[in-house]
Amino acid sequence: MAHVFVTGAAGFIGSHTVDRLLAAGHAVIGLDNFRTGRRANLAAALASPHFSFHEGDVSAPGTLAEVVSATKPDAIIHLAALVSVQESMTNPDLNYALNIHATHLVAEAARLHAVHRIVFASSAAIYGDASDFPIRESTDKKPISPYGSAKLASEALLLGHGAAFGLTVRCQRYFNVFGPRQDPASPYSGVISIFDRRYRDGKGVTIYGDGQQTRDFISVHDVARANVLAATAPTVSSGVANICTGRATSLLEVIGVFARHYPQAPAFLHGAPRTGDILHSLGAPEHAAAALGFRAEVSVEEGLSELIRSG
Ligand code: UD2
């Protein structure tokens, strides 16, 4: 049984990661300030005797260090972040505090309290608007948002700390994650969460553009499993890996699954393409398989059906 500290524990990816760690028999310490995370996401975890929760802000002086020194985890999974690309553009200072400074605090807390492993929530946003597919870990990194640059900077901070002080660091470059508990509140929320909410409410959805755009949509269950593997596998070495499926799915295919589940729903509308949208995104999954033994298992069809049936 490992002791794993999860920052951003009440978030979309965080809460699924916590649940999976507990199911695998590990002891979990969670931290969240409920800025974007929700207490309801932790309903199951809070009932477990193997879960302890701390409410607090990762970027606040002393918070991380206090929890880490009191709990002495074997690994930290650092998922707390400013999660909206859009918000990183309207508030670059907050992006810096939450997505860069907090990473440094995690690295220092690990160094000072002998935590040997850090798993970090990186993003395909570090690649920017790539044109060669599939995107490999060696593909040029050209972030086009403060969010993407902060994720790239954080990878460098952690890997440098790891090399200097003997910590194992795994940077997980998530592609388009979807599944239960993803917040559909903003127009810039993940498209699947928006569609799910609107179909549930009996409303029609709008496709920006012709719907032929594709993404590498990966289920949050696969992402949580990749996090657990990276944090608890006995032998992993430091490095970066795409966390993706290697399969491209178009928005029209996504709509097709919803339409089968909601035969009475209004027909979808087409809107103008969204400014700054990329047409395609597709990751190469082979490196994660070699480095972590991770392969995505949930198909988009299965993942969407599960999301649609979930409460
Ligand atoms: C991600 C970021 C976005 C931006 C972009 C840069 C997220 C959730 N979004 O967007 O902020 O940084 O990467 O590449 O991290 N769509 C619709 N109808 C809707 C909502 C979306 O057609 O109601 C389209 C959207 O125009 C896009 C596709 O769905 O073509 C996927 O949108 P997304 O925001 O889920 O993901 P992405 O990768 O475009």
Side-chain angles (χ1 to χ4, degrees):
M1 182 208 263
H3 285 72
V4 183
F5 174 33
V6 180
T7 73
F12 166 47
I13 296 176
S15 62
H16 284 281
T17 301
V18 168
D19 288 346
R20 193 165 276 264
L21 283 164
L22 291 169
H26 300 296
V28 184
I29 305 113
L31 174 71
D32 208 296
N33 64 348
F34 301 116
R35 181 177 178 271
T36 49
R38 283 179 297 159
R39 196 177 286 276
N41 291 344
L42 290 174
L46 287 165
S48 165
H50 302 295
F51 182 61
S52 67
F53 181 72
H54 302 259
E55 184 168 345
D57 174 354
V58 269
S59 66
T63 300
L64 262 172
E66 262 169 44
V67 179
V68 173
S69 82
T71 58
K72 302 267 184 295
D74 301 301
I76 301 175
I77 305 183
H78 179 44
L79 306 176
L82 179 146
V83 295
S84 159
V85 174
Q86 198 56 30
E87 195 176 3
S88 82
M89 313 235 221
T90 52
N91 197 345
D93 280 341
L94 190 62
N95 175 65
Y96 182 83
L98 298 186
N99 289 351
I100 299 183
H101 180 63
T103 309
H104 166 73
L105 297 178
V106 169
E108 273 297 86
R111 177 177 78 88
L112 293 170
H113 301 287
V115 182
H116 296 294
R117 200 181 293 189
I118 301 175
V119 178
F120 172 63
S122 187
S123 166
I126 66 168
Y127 298 113
D129 192 356
S131 49
D132 274 348
F133 300 105
I135 296 171
R136 300 186 185 284
E137 287 76 0
S138 56
T139 295
D140 281 353
K141 280 70 174 176
K142 294 181 180 167
I144 51 174
S145 64
Y147 175 87
S149 0
K151 290 294 182 184
L152 186 56
S154 285
E155 285 193 357
L157 280 175
L158 290 169
L159 289 164
H161 240 70
F165 304 116
L167 318 171
T168 301
V169 171
R170 292 298 321 171
C171 298
Q172 313 260 72
R173 297 175 175 169
Y174 308 136
F175 278 62
N176 287 67
V177 187
F178 74 97
R181 306 179 192 160
Q182 189 171 29
D183 183 6
S186 129
Y188 296 95
S189 297
V191 64
I192 289 177
S193 68
I194 295 174
F195 284 4
D196 180 56
R197 170 56 59 85
R198 293 190 66 86
Y199 275 104
R200 276 174 200 270
D201 293 347
K203 295 180 180 155
V205 300
T206 301
I207 289 188
Y208 305 135
D210 62 7
Q212 311 272 12
Q213 63 265 53
T214 61
R215 296 292 184 271
D216 188 328
F217 291 111
I218 181 164
S219 162
V220 72
H221 300 301
D222 277 327
V223 169
R225 194 164 49 79
N227 288 342
V228 175
L229 269 172
T232 63
T235 51
V236 289
S237 39
S238 290
V240 303
N242 290 341
I243 302 298
C244 62
T245 68
R247 287 183 295 273
T249 304
S250 72
L251 277 196
L252 290 175
E253 289 173 273
V254 169
I255 292 273
V257 179
F258 278 105
R260 280 200 293 286
H261 283 271
Y262 293 100
Q264 314 297 335
F268 66 85
L269 302 173
H270 280 291
R274 198 164 67 175
T275 314
D277 245 17
I278 55 170
L279 217 44
H280 301 294
S281 173
L282 176 67
E286 290 80 12
H287 186 69
L292 297 174
F294 170 75
R295 284 174 195 78
E297 288 170 356
V298 182
S299 69
V300 169
E301 169 100 39
E302 285 165 352
L304 283 177
S305 302
E306 188 244 5
L307 171 64
I308 291 164
R309 286 192 305 266
S310 67

